[in-house]
Amino acid sequence: MATPHIGAELGDFAPAVLMPGDPKRAERMAGQLLKDAKLVTSVRNVLGFTGAVAAGEHAGKPLSIMASGMGMPSIAIYSTELFRFYGVERIVRVGTAGGISPKVAVGDVVIGFGAHSTSSMNEARLVGAHFSAVADLPMAAAAWAAAAGDPHVFAGAILSEDHFYFKQPGWLEPLVAHGVLAVEMEAACLYGVAAEHGKAALAVLTVSDHLTTGTHANMSAEERESNFQAALRLALAAAFA
Ligand code: HPA
């Protein structure tokens, strides 16, 4: 029963999916997190794996890990097919973001509770009203609870943008003034697709660079890995909320 972009059979995906942008990261995460991981799709090299959580609090629970590619059209395609055709119930985007708020620093984790957007992808959803792209509350609450007061974890508004490089003059200050924590390129659309299908989604983002302080991720490999592990722990809590 392959769909246009996913070459898997019905039943190949778990109800919960972790979704990094990068297919290679999906493969590494599957190797690290899953026992008996099976490659269930590789159309366009966008890899998807299913197995059981190998260890820890959620050991034995079925989990899929599949890449989204970059940008809102890409995550819209994969999340729509997973929700609509493969019985997926919850998607957690695990990715990186550029810091905006002076409160957050490179290496911190941002839970995207709501997502503003420069994209038109949610504009057609409601008639005469702007769509509010919000995360699933139980998933966000589970991630927040798992953070247990860690001062390096933030929850709030993010911006999902279409352009990585092009910025309109004056774009940054209003974002800072409105308390936007970070920018990335997928969450608002993922939240829209989840709402469309009556399903649940959340983005858990590691700050990889900072657009107002100009800092970049010149972290050691160990720091990078431990930051990512912290984000993964929150993502798993949300996946099984
Ligand atoms: N823009 C969009 N997405 C990102 C950025 C950014 O500056 N940094 C990391 N992901």
Side-chain angles (χ1 to χ4, degrees):
M1 69 144 284
T3 56
H5 309 92
I6 300 178
E9 295 303 315
L10 192 59
D12 276 350
F13 282 95
V17 177
L18 299 188
M19 190 164 252
D22 175 4
K24 284 285 181 198
R25 169 145 276 178
E27 190 170 39
R28 283 200 301 276
M29 284 170 59
Q32 186 210 327
L33 291 178
L34 300 179
K35 186 169 58 167
D36 304 325
K38 175 181 160 205
L39 179 70
V40 294
T41 182
S42 60
V43 179
R44 291 176 184 243
N45 280 322
V46 175
L47 307 179
F49 300 86
T50 297
V53 177
E57 195 185 336
H58 303 288
K61 294 182 186 170
L63 179 70
S64 295
I65 302 174
M66 181 174 172
S68 69
M70 285 184 285
M72 285 181 264
S74 185
I75 201 165
I77 288 170
Y78 296 112
S79 59
T80 295
E81 292 182 12
L82 290 173
F83 285 142
R84 191 176 296 178
F85 303 116
Y86 287 100
V88 168
E89 295 295 329
R90 289 177 303 283
I91 295 179
V92 188
R93 161 165 157 69
V94 281
T96 57
I100 295 285
S101 165
K103 287 189 209 159
V104 308
V106 169
D108 287 352
V109 174
V110 169
I111 297 167
F113 194 44
H116 307 297
S117 188
T118 61
S119 163
S120 63
M121 289 190 76
N122 285 331
E123 263 171 31
R125 294 191 179 281
L126 303 179
V127 177
H130 291 287
F131 182 85
S132 290
V134 292
D136 178 69
L137 179 58
M139 289 175 73
W144 185 249
D150 182 340
H152 294 289
V153 178
F154 296 81
I158 59 175
L159 171 71
S160 302
E161 56 179 0
D162 280 336
H163 280 283
F164 185 88
Y165 290 108
F166 174 80
K167 311 288 180 194
Q168 286 191 318
W171 76 290
L172 200 51
E173 292 75 10
L175 294 177
V176 176
H178 285 83
V180 172
L181 296 172
V183 291
E184 54 84 79
M185 303 186 74
E186 291 84 11
C189 187
L190 173 63
Y191 296 172
V193 171
E196 178 188 347
H197 294 88
K199 308 273 180 150
L202 178 71
V204 177
L205 307 161
T206 305
V207 177
S208 61
D209 51 67
H210 203 293
L211 285 88
T212 51
T213 63
T215 40
H216 293 274
N218 56 357
M219 292 176 276
S220 68
E222 293 78 37
E223 279 176 307
R224 202 186 301 269
E225 194 48 39
S226 85
N227 287 335
F228 187 64
Q229 294 310 320
L232 268 188
R233 208 173 53 75
L234 306 192
L236 279 172
F240 297 114

